Amino acid sequence: MAPPLARQHLIDPEVCIRCNTCEAACPRGAITHDRNNYVVRYEDCTGSGDCLPPCPTGAIDSWRQVLKPWTVEEQLGWSALPADQSHGEPLAGDVPADVEALTARATATSGHVPPPWSAAHPYVGLYSPEGPAEATVVGNLRLTSDDSDSDIRHLVLDFGRVAFPVLEGQTVGIIPPGLDAHGRPHNVRLYSVASPRDGERPRHNNLALTVKRVVSDRDGKPAHGVASNYLCDLTRGARVQVTGPYGSSFLMPNHPGARLLMICTGTGAAPMRAMTERRRRRLPLNEGGDILLFFGARSPHELPYHGPLMKLPGALIDVDLAYSRAPGRPKEYVQDRMRARGDDVLRHVLDDDCFVYVCGHKRMEEGVTEALRDLCRARGVDWDARRDVMKREGRFHIETY
Ligand SMILES: Cc1cc2nc3c(=O)[nH]c(=O)nc-3n(C[C@H](O)[C@H](O)[C@H](O)COP(=O)(O)OP(=O)(O)OC[C@H]3O[C@@H](n4cnc5c(N)ncnc54)[C@H](O)[C@@H]3O)c2cc1C
Ligand code: SF4
């Protein structure tokens, strides 16, 4: 009888861009890295699936059937994934329960939320850290008011004669110059494209990013974000190394009449701006399909694109803003505004031609999910079941960081 096999979660070192997204997303600390590779510790991986959707390259979605799980030390030495050891045999009946759970959960939650059925085909990974594209900064505009301690920038990168095709919802990687504390090149940092596919300036080979300067860590302690400070300080004419594009799921539908429900905070506005601008430029075509946007920030002065957003026609978009620290106004988060607009939210969520996008701070995810669950429950709808259907149909997309 063939010896029992286990299914092991691994990371493909040939595809991984060492961006650290998976390690930050794993609730169990099962992902670790050294100067060579990002790897998954077999004993600690419970199969929560949290690391899979955020990985921009798909390197994380690698699996092997093994006789004996590979150790961290072995994985750190790889330059390519080893072969599967199954030789076609099925998994043995005595595979540990956690491995079965991992497999089932990974299938249900893996990065395989498909794109909307009518999305355009994205180009992915045209430029790697070893062979990045070079772009020129042609604009760097502060979006937040000068007296605000939040510095968010609208950065425009021009690719000249280098092909860098992107779709709304995709991200690009930025390689900060210099070396990290270990003397090796910095990890790639990801930024959402904030302009539509035909460019920030139509028919020019350029794109826009929305970058927040990181001056404190997630606990509020002072910190100097390597890539964000580098980007925010760039002046016109500077050259930037760009990888990507990445992302083949968080894309917008192309068919007329598709509804969009967008929920975002802070720089999570970037992909929403790209999609809205795409729709705005196509308004004369009368393709229909409304947009409902919930957008949260501390105050109007810290809400990127506040001015232009307020000038968009009501026929294009219904904008609902939540401020958590605006003087003279009650403290509100996006989920509070969603609850206040429950009927409108439900109209979107229950429409089979509605596509939902959530982007921004990681901590918004829970509040938004709770609001959707409560709103659905009050109308006799099971949100979790509804969400699973929407995910399977490529109609529910989350990108939080
Ligand atoms: C899919 C995806 C899309 C993203 N899109 C955007 C975008 O459109 N605009 C944008 O500004 N950022 C975006 N980010 C975040 C971005 O990739 C960087 O993580 C962020 O700019 C910080 O990088 P840094 O090099 O400046 O900080 P680092 O030098 O990497 O970190 C410095 C310190 O800041 C903490 N830190 C890291 N990231 C954040 C953060 N976002 N907020 C607060 N503290 C942080 C770290 O824990 C560390 O202590 C995105 C991330 C992902 C995964
Ligand atoms: S998220 Fe994907 S690309 Fe980034 S380090 Fe993890 S496996 Fe590599």
Side-chain angles (χ1 to χ4, degrees), residues 113-135:
V113 175
W117 65 267
S118 60
H121 177 76
Y123 286 93
V124 175
L126 296 178
Y127 299 93
S128 68
E130 291 72 38
E134 217 173 56

PDB file of all heavy atoms in Angstrom, residues 113-135:
ATOM      1  N   VAL A 113     -11.434  34.206  -6.160  1.00  0.00           N
ATOM      2  CA  VAL A 113     -12.644  34.973  -6.438  1.00  0.00           C
ATOM      3  C   VAL A 113     -12.439  35.419  -7.874  1.00  0.00           C
ATOM      4  O   VAL A 113     -11.488  36.152  -8.159  1.00  0.00           O
ATOM      5  CB  VAL A 113     -12.789  36.202  -5.514  1.00  0.00           C
ATOM      6  CG1 VAL A 113     -13.994  37.039  -5.925  1.00  0.00           C
ATOM      7  CG2 VAL A 113     -12.924  35.761  -4.068  1.00  0.00           C
ATOM      8  N   PRO A 114     -13.267  34.937  -8.793  1.00  0.00           N
ATOM      9  CA  PRO A 114     -13.002  35.287 -10.194  1.00  0.00           C
ATOM     10  C   PRO A 114     -13.291  36.755 -10.444  1.00  0.00           C
ATOM     11  O   PRO A 114     -13.984  37.395  -9.647  1.00  0.00           O
ATOM     12  CB  PRO A 114     -13.976  34.387 -10.964  1.00  0.00           C
ATOM     13  CG  PRO A 114     -15.064  34.085 -10.003  1.00  0.00           C
ATOM     14  CD  PRO A 114     -14.464  34.119  -8.626  1.00  0.00           C
ATOM     15  N   PRO A 115     -12.787  37.301 -11.518  1.00  0.00           N
ATOM     16  CA  PRO A 115     -13.144  38.683 -11.860  1.00  0.00           C
ATOM     17  C   PRO A 115     -14.594  38.726 -12.322  1.00  0.00           C
ATOM     18  O   PRO A 115     -15.178  37.675 -12.608  1.00  0.00           O
ATOM     19  CB  PRO A 115     -12.187  39.003 -13.019  1.00  0.00           C
ATOM     20  CG  PRO A 115     -11.882  37.676 -13.630  1.00  0.00           C
ATOM     21  CD  PRO A 115     -11.909  36.675 -12.510  1.00  0.00           C
ATOM     22  N   PRO A 116     -15.204  39.901 -12.405  1.00  0.00           N
ATOM     23  CA  PRO A 116     -16.550  39.990 -12.986  1.00  0.00           C
ATOM     24  C   PRO A 116     -16.553  39.332 -14.377  1.00  0.00           C
ATOM     25  O   PRO A 116     -15.552  39.413 -15.089  1.00  0.00           O
ATOM     26  CB  PRO A 116     -16.774  41.509 -13.103  1.00  0.00           C
ATOM     27  CG  PRO A 116     -15.896  42.104 -12.056  1.00  0.00           C
ATOM     28  CD  PRO A 116     -14.693  41.227 -11.986  1.00  0.00           C
ATOM     29  N   TRP A 117     -17.665  38.693 -14.729  1.00  0.00           N
ATOM     30  CA  TRP A 117     -17.678  37.911 -15.982  1.00  0.00           C
ATOM     31  C   TRP A 117     -17.345  38.761 -17.194  1.00  0.00           C
ATOM     32  O   TRP A 117     -16.789  38.274 -18.174  1.00  0.00           O
ATOM     33  CB  TRP A 117     -19.035  37.212 -16.174  1.00  0.00           C
ATOM     34  CG  TRP A 117     -20.207  38.148 -16.368  1.00  0.00           C
ATOM     35  CD1 TRP A 117     -21.045  38.626 -15.412  1.00  0.00           C
ATOM     36  CD2 TRP A 117     -20.658  38.717 -17.606  1.00  0.00           C
ATOM     37  NE1 TRP A 117     -21.992  39.467 -15.962  1.00  0.00           N
ATOM     38  CE2 TRP A 117     -21.768  39.532 -17.314  1.00  0.00           C
ATOM     39  CE3 TRP A 117     -20.240  38.635 -18.930  1.00  0.00           C
ATOM     40  CZ2 TRP A 117     -22.456  40.262 -18.275  1.00  0.00           C
ATOM     41  CZ3 TRP A 117     -20.929  39.360 -19.902  1.00  0.00           C
ATOM     42  CH2 TRP A 117     -22.024  40.156 -19.568  1.00  0.00           C
ATOM     43  N   SER A 118     -17.660  40.073 -17.124  1.00  0.00           N
ATOM     44  CA  SER A 118     -17.447  40.909 -18.311  1.00  0.00           C
ATOM     45  C   SER A 118     -16.176  41.754 -18.215  1.00  0.00           C
ATOM     46  O   SER A 118     -15.961  42.629 -19.050  1.00  0.00           O
ATOM     47  CB  SER A 118     -18.653  41.838 -18.499  1.00  0.00           C
ATOM     48  OG  SER A 118     -18.791  42.667 -17.344  1.00  0.00           O
ATOM     49  N   ALA A 119     -15.327  41.490 -17.200  1.00  0.00           N
ATOM     50  CA  ALA A 119     -14.103  42.297 -17.051  1.00  0.00           C
ATOM     51  C   ALA A 119     -13.181  42.085 -18.249  1.00  0.00           C
ATOM     52  O   ALA A 119     -13.146  41.004 -18.841  1.00  0.00           O
ATOM     53  CB  ALA A 119     -13.379  41.903 -15.766  1.00  0.00           C
ATOM     54  N   ALA A 120     -12.423  43.130 -18.561  1.00  0.00           N
ATOM     55  CA  ALA A 120     -11.430  42.993 -19.631  1.00  0.00           C
ATOM     56  C   ALA A 120     -10.295  42.094 -19.138  1.00  0.00           C
ATOM     57  O   ALA A 120     -10.088  41.947 -17.932  1.00  0.00           O
ATOM     58  CB  ALA A 120     -10.887  44.362 -20.014  1.00  0.00           C
ATOM     59  N   HIS A 121      -9.560  41.516 -20.043  1.00  0.00           N
ATOM     60  CA  HIS A 121      -8.452  40.629 -19.657  1.00  0.00           C
ATOM     61  C   HIS A 121      -7.275  41.458 -19.134  1.00  0.00           C
ATOM     62  O   HIS A 121      -6.784  42.339 -19.834  1.00  0.00           O
ATOM     63  CB  HIS A 121      -8.006  39.794 -20.851  1.00  0.00           C
ATOM     64  CG  HIS A 121      -6.837  38.925 -20.534  1.00  0.00           C
ATOM     65  ND1 HIS A 121      -6.961  37.765 -19.789  1.00  0.00           N
ATOM     66  CD2 HIS A 121      -5.519  39.075 -20.774  1.00  0.00           C
ATOM     67  CE1 HIS A 121      -5.765  37.233 -19.635  1.00  0.00           C
ATOM     68  NE2 HIS A 121      -4.872  38.007 -20.221  1.00  0.00           N
ATOM     69  N   PRO A 122      -6.825  41.178 -17.891  1.00  0.00           N
ATOM     70  CA  PRO A 122      -5.719  41.974 -17.353  1.00  0.00           C
ATOM     71  C   PRO A 122      -4.354  41.404 -17.754  1.00  0.00           C
ATOM     72  O   PRO A 122      -4.201  40.193 -17.900  1.00  0.00           O
ATOM     73  CB  PRO A 122      -5.910  41.804 -15.837  1.00  0.00           C
ATOM     74  CG  PRO A 122      -6.511  40.435 -15.705  1.00  0.00           C
ATOM     75  CD  PRO A 122      -7.337  40.182 -16.938  1.00  0.00           C
ATOM     76  N   TYR A 123      -3.392  42.271 -17.924  1.00  0.00           N
ATOM     77  CA  TYR A 123      -1.995  41.822 -18.033  1.00  0.00           C
ATOM     78  C   TYR A 123      -1.446  41.762 -16.615  1.00  0.00           C
ATOM     79  O   TYR A 123      -1.680  42.692 -15.827  1.00  0.00           O
ATOM     80  CB  TYR A 123      -1.169  42.804 -18.859  1.00  0.00           C
ATOM     81  CG  TYR A 123      -1.480  42.722 -20.334  1.00  0.00           C
ATOM     82  CD1 TYR A 123      -2.439  43.559 -20.901  1.00  0.00           C
ATOM     83  CD2 TYR A 123      -0.829  41.809 -21.141  1.00  0.00           C
ATOM     84  CE1 TYR A 123      -2.745  43.479 -22.248  1.00  0.00           C
ATOM     85  CE2 TYR A 123      -1.125  41.723 -22.495  1.00  0.00           C
ATOM     86  CZ  TYR A 123      -2.077  42.563 -23.043  1.00  0.00           C
ATOM     87  OH  TYR A 123      -2.379  42.473 -24.374  1.00  0.00           O
ATOM     88  N   VAL A 124      -0.728  40.703 -16.280  1.00  0.00           N
ATOM     89  CA  VAL A 124      -0.210  40.544 -14.911  1.00  0.00           C
ATOM     90  C   VAL A 124       1.273  40.171 -14.963  1.00  0.00           C
ATOM     91  O   VAL A 124       1.685  39.305 -15.745  1.00  0.00           O
ATOM     92  CB  VAL A 124      -0.992  39.436 -14.153  1.00  0.00           C
ATOM     93  CG1 VAL A 124      -0.391  39.188 -12.785  1.00  0.00           C
ATOM     94  CG2 VAL A 124      -2.466  39.821 -14.012  1.00  0.00           C
ATOM     95  N   GLY A 125       2.063  40.853 -14.115  1.00  0.00           N
ATOM     96  CA  GLY A 125       3.469  40.479 -13.946  1.00  0.00           C
ATOM     97  C   GLY A 125       4.339  40.698 -15.162  1.00  0.00           C
ATOM     98  O   GLY A 125       5.285  39.942 -15.392  1.00  0.00           O
ATOM     99  N   LEU A 126       4.071  41.743 -15.936  1.00  0.00           N
ATOM    100  CA  LEU A 126       4.909  42.009 -17.113  1.00  0.00           C
ATOM    101  C   LEU A 126       6.325  42.420 -16.695  1.00  0.00           C
ATOM    102  O   LEU A 126       7.287  42.149 -17.397  1.00  0.00           O
ATOM    103  CB  LEU A 126       4.296  43.135 -17.969  1.00  0.00           C
ATOM    104  CG  LEU A 126       2.936  42.858 -18.602  1.00  0.00           C
ATOM    105  CD1 LEU A 126       2.460  44.080 -19.374  1.00  0.00           C
ATOM    106  CD2 LEU A 126       3.030  41.648 -19.529  1.00  0.00           C
ATOM    107  N   TYR A 127       6.424  43.080 -15.532  1.00  0.00           N
ATOM    108  CA  TYR A 127       7.736  43.561 -15.068  1.00  0.00           C
ATOM    109  C   TYR A 127       7.998  43.030 -13.658  1.00  0.00           C
ATOM    110  O   TYR A 127       7.159  43.184 -12.767  1.00  0.00           O
ATOM    111  CB  TYR A 127       7.774  45.094 -15.096  1.00  0.00           C
ATOM    112  CG  TYR A 127       7.561  45.620 -16.497  1.00  0.00           C
ATOM    113  CD1 TYR A 127       6.282  45.956 -16.937  1.00  0.00           C
ATOM    114  CD2 TYR A 127       8.619  45.713 -17.388  1.00  0.00           C
ATOM    115  CE1 TYR A 127       6.067  46.390 -18.243  1.00  0.00           C
ATOM    116  CE2 TYR A 127       8.415  46.157 -18.698  1.00  0.00           C
ATOM    117  CZ  TYR A 127       7.133  46.488 -19.111  1.00  0.00           C
ATOM    118  OH  TYR A 127       6.925  46.911 -20.404  1.00  0.00           O
ATOM    119  N   SER A 128       9.149  42.403 -13.477  1.00  0.00           N
ATOM    120  CA  SER A 128       9.501  41.780 -12.194  1.00  0.00           C
ATOM    121  C   SER A 128      10.521  42.663 -11.473  1.00  0.00           C
ATOM    122  O   SER A 128      11.070  43.593 -12.062  1.00  0.00           O
ATOM    123  CB  SER A 128      10.126  40.415 -12.467  1.00  0.00           C
ATOM    124  OG  SER A 128      11.378  40.609 -13.103  1.00  0.00           O
ATOM    125  N   PRO A 129      10.817  42.355 -10.211  1.00  0.00           N
ATOM    126  CA  PRO A 129      11.847  43.132  -9.507  1.00  0.00           C
ATOM    127  C   PRO A 129      13.202  43.041 -10.218  1.00  0.00           C
ATOM    128  O   PRO A 129      13.996  43.970 -10.156  1.00  0.00           O
ATOM    129  CB  PRO A 129      11.901  42.475  -8.127  1.00  0.00           C
ATOM    130  CG  PRO A 129      10.549  41.877  -7.950  1.00  0.00           C
ATOM    131  CD  PRO A 129      10.112  41.421  -9.309  1.00  0.00           C
ATOM    132  N   GLU A 130      13.439  41.935 -10.930  1.00  0.00           N
ATOM    133  CA  GLU A 130      14.720  41.807 -11.646  1.00  0.00           C
ATOM    134  C   GLU A 130      14.697  42.603 -12.951  1.00  0.00           C
ATOM    135  O   GLU A 130      15.749  42.989 -13.452  1.00  0.00           O
ATOM    136  CB  GLU A 130      15.015  40.337 -11.973  1.00  0.00           C
ATOM    137  CG  GLU A 130      15.340  39.473 -10.777  1.00  0.00           C
ATOM    138  CD  GLU A 130      14.124  39.194  -9.897  1.00  0.00           C
ATOM    139  OE1 GLU A 130      13.020  38.997 -10.445  1.00  0.00           O
ATOM    140  OE2 GLU A 130      14.269  39.209  -8.659  1.00  0.00           O
ATOM    141  N   GLY A 131      13.512  42.822 -13.492  1.00  0.00           N
ATOM    142  CA  GLY A 131      13.410  43.556 -14.756  1.00  0.00           C
ATOM    143  C   GLY A 131      12.284  44.564 -14.687  1.00  0.00           C
ATOM    144  O   GLY A 131      11.273  44.435 -15.375  1.00  0.00           O
ATOM    145  N   PRO A 132      12.407  45.587 -13.809  1.00  0.00           N
ATOM    146  CA  PRO A 132      11.303  46.543 -13.649  1.00  0.00           C
ATOM    147  C   PRO A 132      11.183  47.505 -14.829  1.00  0.00           C
ATOM    148  O   PRO A 132      12.140  47.669 -15.583  1.00  0.00           O
ATOM    149  CB  PRO A 132      11.708  47.313 -12.378  1.00  0.00           C
ATOM    150  CG  PRO A 132      13.199  47.212 -12.333  1.00  0.00           C
ATOM    151  CD  PRO A 132      13.565  45.912 -12.980  1.00  0.00           C
ATOM    152  N   ALA A 133      10.015  48.112 -14.950  1.00  0.00           N
ATOM    153  CA  ALA A 133       9.841  49.205 -15.914  1.00  0.00           C
ATOM    154  C   ALA A 133      10.287  50.490 -15.227  1.00  0.00           C
ATOM    155  O   ALA A 133      10.235  50.589 -13.998  1.00  0.00           O
ATOM    156  CB  ALA A 133       8.376  49.315 -16.313  1.00  0.00           C
ATOM    157  N   GLU A 134      10.738  51.454 -16.027  1.00  0.00           N
ATOM    158  CA  GLU A 134      11.118  52.731 -15.419  1.00  0.00           C
ATOM    159  C   GLU A 134      10.115  53.796 -15.853  1.00  0.00           C
ATOM    160  O   GLU A 134       9.792  53.903 -17.043  1.00  0.00           O
ATOM    161  CB  GLU A 134      12.535  53.114 -15.833  1.00  0.00           C
ATOM    162  CG  GLU A 134      13.267  53.768 -14.685  1.00  0.00           C
ATOM    163  CD  GLU A 134      14.729  54.002 -14.998  1.00  0.00           C
ATOM    164  OE1 GLU A 134      15.019  54.655 -16.015  1.00  0.00           O
ATOM    165  OE2 GLU A 134      15.552  53.514 -14.226  1.00  0.00           O
ATOM    166  N   ALA A 135       9.595  54.525 -14.891  1.00  0.00           N
ATOM    167  CA  ALA A 135       8.627  55.582 -15.198  1.00  0.00           C
ATOM    168  C   ALA A 135       9.175  56.917 -14.712  1.00  0.00           C
ATOM    169  O   ALA A 135      10.047  56.968 -13.844  1.00  0.00           O
ATOM    170  CB  ALA A 135       7.296  55.283 -14.508  1.00  0.00           C
TER     171      ALA A 135
END
